[in-house]
């Protein structure tokens, strides 16, 4: 898994690209604070090499909790900026700092 950040000089936005290698998966979405945990707003596109990828514009100077939803199962990104316990989920969420 990988997270790439590209900060824009023209506006206070960071283009964040999420890449998830999941050859066997049918669907992958990234859900988090930035999209109200709604997988329909953040489905990643499957590439020919089996990797799922998507880019989202996120406001800068924020911290977001997020997780990947791979075929209905939640998983964290090991390369996240940090991890935060979430009582509602009963699990740790990955943290993205932009």
């Amino acid at each position: 898994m990988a997270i790439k950040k590209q900060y824009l000089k023209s506006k206070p936005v960071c283009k964040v690209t999420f890449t998830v290698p999941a050859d066997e998966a049918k669907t992958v979405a990234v859900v988090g604070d930035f999209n109200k945990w709604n997988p329909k707003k953040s489905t990643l596109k499957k590439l020919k090499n089996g990797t799922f990828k998507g880019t989202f514009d996120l406001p800068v100077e924020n911290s977001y909790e997020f997780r990947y939803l791979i075929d209905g199962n939640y998983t964290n990104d090991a390369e996240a900026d940090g991890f935060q316990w979430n009582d509602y989920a009963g699990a740790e969420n990955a943290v993205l700092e932009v």
Side-chain angles (χ1 to χ4, degrees):
M1 294 180 209
I3 301 169
K4 180 183 165 197
K5 302 174 192 174
Q6 179 184 3
Y7 293 90
L8 302 182
K9 293 180 182 178
S10 59
K11 52 187 172 179
V13 169
C14 180
K15 288 191 169 291
V16 181
T17 301
F18 297 93
T19 305
V20 180
D23 293 344
E24 305 298 318
K26 289 184 174 38
T27 61
V28 176
V30 59
V31 293
D33 295 337
F34 52 87
N35 64 6
K36 298 182 181 174
W37 298 88
N38 185 344
K40 292 180 182 174
K41 294 183 178 180
S42 57
T43 302
L44 303 182
K45 183 179 179 183
K46 188 168 189 174
L47 305 178
K48 290 181 181 179
N49 66 3
T51 299
F52 286 80
K53 192 173 188 176
T55 302
F56 304 93
D57 291 349
L58 302 180
V60 297
E61 298 182 9
N62 285 299
S63 175
Y64 303 97
E65 289 186 33
F66 77 98
R67 297 185 94 182
Y68 295 114
L69 186 59
I70 302 172
D71 288 343
N73 297 308
Y74 289 100
T75 188
N76 282 327
D77 191 323
E79 296 179 29
D81 296 327
F83 298 92
Q84 174 71 41
W85 179 260
N86 184 294
D87 286 334
Y88 180 76
E92 269 191 340
N93 289 333
V95 174
L96 177 67
E97 303 279 347
V98 292

